[in-house]
DNA sequence: AATGTGAACGAAACCGGTTTCGACTAAGAG
DNA sequence: CTCTTAGTCGAAACCGGTTTCGTTCACATT
């Protein structure tokens, strides 16, 4: 691979500034970085000159000298996995915006193979391109977490893992969310409530199904009519599960889905099979994607703030970088039942 | 702001390797970078040792020495602008994946104020954090383009600008797309076809409306029944425009929308007003978002490959970096009419 | 045997910052 | 009028690579 020609930039360097002011670069550097041993007079002189000439320190040079990259890495799965969701873009948006506040940059890397491979993380660690990671879509046994822990490399997860006590994390309380959703459906008089899960590999799937089971268990509904179906968090997965559920002799009157995409698939098939929504069938999703509001009927869902997710993980990670020794922190946020129209009373 | 403590990494450095092998770091460097003046024997010895010890060059050091950041920047608008679309995440996914092939990283920055401000670009240029930019959602008169051209800084746009001959760009042929869509509707027997535009600030809006006008002009339809409405590329904008269009004495029998979000808003209002789709009203969108397929009826749209968009802009930019003097290149791709169910014959 | 040649590597400068340490100066203390 | 001391700044090392230039040595040449 032929090299990119280097075009030394004509940007002003610290030595230019030093020459101009008759100082040494060490002094310039300390003046700009607020050291106490620089007189107020020269500090002001330096700052003024820096502004005048538009001096901005060379990031590569700073990074080398400081031994820091001031960059956080995030590894995305290949898009194919969830093309239906705006989560990733909103999450990245929030993360980068919040990182910028702290003077950090966001490096986005796309995984070529599997989203959970360790390899891209290794490369980024060894090449010293990032100071920390944000990991999302966590697994219970997560190799990425294992690797970074073994390297003692800073990171935070969005989502819990089996090693919850050994790292910082932020998560939405999926269990509680599905408890709420389930009891809402029970209150609405539904007797046959089904659940479509998804992404069993994700730890989050367990919490969601637990919430469902817990409330079904507490109720006096007939368990055999409250079926749990597997899914894959895609619209297609919802379609398949819906076929199986709705073609039963006693089909559910309400279906709780692990995410909105699944719910959309369910609604599609339900309509094809002649179910009216919400009269014959209530459908609840999870994610709160904006497009759900434009469905017919508008999708009822559990929504949460992605902006908050980004902000929280960034705060946790920055604190970790600042104080590596501090005990690990975690935070849980809640999803809100957003009833828009795809759910109703059981008649 | 207190500084992050520096934890000098225990990663192996080039000097460690040099010591270990009894060579100098210059020799190690040249051996690993394929210089001709290193004997095959030592080259192999060096490579072997590098693998054995897991040596990976420090990126900050390389970047400083090379005067390159090997990083491409992209500045995202604050999410509020288009929460309905998966474009951004797919685009980023494709870009980062394609950049990785060339050994480049992707730096994602989020604009705090306006998407079209120059300021974040300036900061990234002056701090030497990136070697080039990918700009999207271009304006006809684009300050970002003006700035980067004035600095002679490499970039490529996704979307055309007024200074089309002065930079590399990739775009979808919006004019042709809307020509096709319009003539499709004409062929289906529609006599009253309306258009809802959007994002007038974007250059792309002009091409789309031009395509519409051109085909309406060529036809013998009554122009007064082929209304053009403004929009803002949001669902809300579609709703507002739909109200105005459909509450006319002679409402359109087909509405062509500048994007899918708008089309969803239109469909929502149309249904509320009692229009059956597609029997009473055909609606066409643009973008090809996956979720459109789950609408009722599934949204007909003009779709294109976002992966391709990412790949093309990356190729253009990398070539520019490799050969800064070459004449500018551009490429146009086409959108495909994807008829899913929201359009039909005019009865 | 002296000279020329090319292959292979070492030495050192350089990239542009940061940080430690020491020197100088002026003011305050005795 | 010396001696400290604090306040300022310069000098230089350092971060970890890359690259230029020159040296060394083996070997072929005459």
């Amino acid at each position: 691979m032929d090299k990119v020609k280097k075009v030394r930039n004509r940007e002003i360097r610290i030595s230019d500034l030093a020459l101009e002011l008759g100082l040494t670069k060490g002094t310039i550097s300390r003046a700009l970085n607020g050291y106490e041993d620089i007189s107020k007079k020269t500090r002001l002189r330096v700052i003024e000159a820096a502004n005048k000439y538009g001096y901005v320190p060379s990031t590569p040079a700073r990074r080398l000298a400081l031994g820091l990259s001031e960059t956080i890495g995030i590894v995305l799965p290949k898009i194919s996995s969830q093309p239906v969701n705006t989560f990733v873009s909103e999450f990245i948006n929030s993360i980068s915006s919040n990182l910028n506040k702290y003077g950090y940059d966001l490096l986005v890397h796309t995984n070529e193979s599997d989203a959970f491979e360790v390899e891209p993380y290794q490369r980024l660690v060894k090449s010293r391109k990032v100071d920390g990671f944000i990991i999302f879509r966590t697994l219970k046994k997560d190799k990425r977490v294992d690797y970074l822990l073994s390297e003692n490399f800073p990171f935070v997860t969005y989502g819990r893992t089996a090693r919850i006590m050994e790292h910082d994390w932020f998560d939405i309380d999926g269990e509680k969310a599905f408890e709420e959703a389930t009891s809402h459906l029970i209150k609405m008089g539904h007797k046959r409530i089904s659940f479509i899960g998804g992404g069993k590999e994700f730890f989050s799937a367990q919490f969601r199904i637990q919430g469902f089971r817990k409330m079904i268990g507490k109720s006096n509904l007939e368990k055999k009519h409250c079926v749990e179906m597997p899914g894959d968090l895609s619209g297609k997965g919802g379609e398949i599960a819906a076929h199986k559920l709705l073609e039963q002799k006693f089909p559910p009157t309400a279906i709780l889905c692990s995410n909105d995409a699944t719910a959309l698939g369910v609604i599609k098939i339900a309509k094809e099979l002649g179910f009216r929504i919400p009269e014959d069938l209530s459908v609840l999703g999870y994610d709160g994607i904006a497009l759900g509001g434009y469905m017919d009927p508008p999708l009822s869902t559990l929504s949460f703030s992605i902006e908050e997710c980004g902000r929280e993980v960034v705060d946790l990670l920055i604190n970790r970088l600042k104080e590596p020794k501090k005990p690990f922190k975690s935070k849980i946020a809640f999803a809100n039942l957003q009833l828009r129209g795809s759910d109703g009373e059981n008649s």
Side-chain angles (χ1 to χ4, degrees), chain A:
Chain A
M1 190 165 39
D2 41 359
K3 303 248 170 82
V4 169
K5 266 172 223 107
K6 92 168 117 183
V7 185
R8 280 287 162 209
N9 27 37
R10 47 300 175 207
E11 302 290 340
I12 184 166
R13 291 154 303 195
I14 198 169
S15 56
D16 298 331
L17 218 53
L19 205 64
E20 179 71 23
L21 294 174
L23 297 169
T24 61
K25 45 181 203 165
T27 303
I28 305 284
S29 174
R30 279 170 305 172
L32 293 173
N33 289 320
Y35 276 63
E36 290 301 327
D37 65 346
I38 302 292
S39 74
K40 189 164 186 176
K41 195 175 130 199
T42 47
R43 184 201 317 288
L44 291 177
R45 211 159 61 93
V46 169
I47 291 175
E48 192 186 2
N51 289 333
K52 177 177 166 194
Y53 294 105
Y55 168 71
V56 176
S58 156
T59 306
R62 282 200 73 223
R63 289 179 176 170
L64 175 57
L66 289 170
L68 292 172
S69 67
E70 293 175 315
T71 300
I72 299 302
I74 189 167
V75 180
L76 304 182
K78 260 281 193 218
I79 196 63
S80 54
S81 27
Q82 278 216 7
V84 88
N85 209 319
T86 58
F87 175 80
V88 172
S89 53
E90 293 188 49
F91 193 46
I92 286 185
N93 217 296
S94 171
I95 289 173
S96 89
S97 160
N98 282 291
L99 281 177
N100 292 165
K101 285 188 211 155
Y102 295 104
Y104 276 76
D105 293 318
L106 178 63
L107 174 65
V108 173
H109 193 278
T110 294
N111 202 325
E112 291 309 321
S113 52
D114 183 318
F116 315 115
E117 286 297 325
V118 171
E119 194 262 348
Y121 294 86
Q122 275 175 329
R123 283 228 312 270
L124 291 170
V125 167
K126 299 213 73 109
S127 61
R128 281 152 276 188
K129 284 182 178 174
V130 301
D131 293 337
F133 284 103
I134 291 170
I135 294 182
F136 69 114
R137 308 173 103 229
T138 48
L139 314 182
K140 186 163 182 179
K141 288 200 162 197
D142 201 303
K143 283 181 288 184
R144 302 166 295 179
V145 169
D146 293 340
Y147 167 68
L148 294 174
L149 281 176
S150 76
E151 292 283 323
N152 194 27
F153 201 87
F155 69 99
V156 58
T157 65
Y158 166 49
R160 281 162 276 185
T161 73
R163 305 181 70 173
I164 227 168
M165 305 302 291
E166 303 172 59
H167 59 85
D168 303 291
W169 55 271
F170 171 85
D171 204 358
I172 302 290
D173 194 334
E175 181 168 3
K176 186 150 180 243
F178 277 77
E179 285 176 18
E180 268 190 50
T182 307
S183 54
H184 168 72
L185 292 172
I186 293 175
K187 262 188 226 137
M188 299 293 268
H190 291 278
K191 306 292 181 203
R192 298 194 301 274
I193 306 174
S194 281
F195 173 88
I196 303 178
K200 269 197 177 163
E201 63 273 30
F202 302 118
F203 203 9
S204 59
Q206 292 193 21
F207 294 107
R208 297 183 195 173
I209 204 168
Q210 270 171 34
F212 172 73
R213 282 180 190 162
K214 184 169 164 189
M215 295 323 261
I216 293 292
K218 276 192 181 176
S219 75
N220 47 12
L221 303 189
E222 280 196 57
K223 307 298 175 286
K224 69 173 179 185
H225 285 139
C226 296
V227 184
E228 294 168 11
M229 293 289 291
D232 62 356
L233 295 180
S234 77
K236 213 66 192 159
E239 295 183 36
I240 295 168
H243 264 295
K244 293 190 185 161
L245 286 174
L246 297 175
E247 284 164 355
Q248 295 174 105
K249 191 168 178 190
F250 295 105
T253 61
I255 299 181
L256 194 50
C257 303
S258 262
N259 75 341
D260 283 348
T262 302
L264 297 186
V266 167
I267 290 178
K268 182 181 170 194
I269 297 302
K271 284 185 176 177
E272 285 179 15
L273 296 177
F275 288 80
R276 291 167 308 160
I277 297 174
E279 293 82 357
D280 304 329
L281 180 70
S282 289
V283 179
L284 245 59
Y286 178 96
D287 272 349
I289 63 180
L291 228 55
Y294 284 97
M295 298 297 299
D296 180 17
L299 183 64
S300 294
T301 184
L302 289 151
S303 77
F304 54 92
S305 161
I306 300 179
E307 197 285 325
E308 181 186 357
C309 296
R311 183 162 27 85
E312 295 291 353
V313 294
V314 165
D315 286 348
L316 287 168
L317 185 51
I318 297 293
N319 282 327
R320 172 65 40 213
L321 292 173
K322 281 191 180 156
E323 314 193 67
K325 303 290 179 191
K326 280 251 177 129
F328 295 111
K329 281 176 67 176
S330 61
K331 189 159 177 181
I332 279 212
F334 301 98
N336 300 308
L337 205 48
Q338 193 177 354
L339 303 178
R340 290 194 284 207
S342 66
D343 68 298
E345 298 207 6
N346 183 31
S347 47

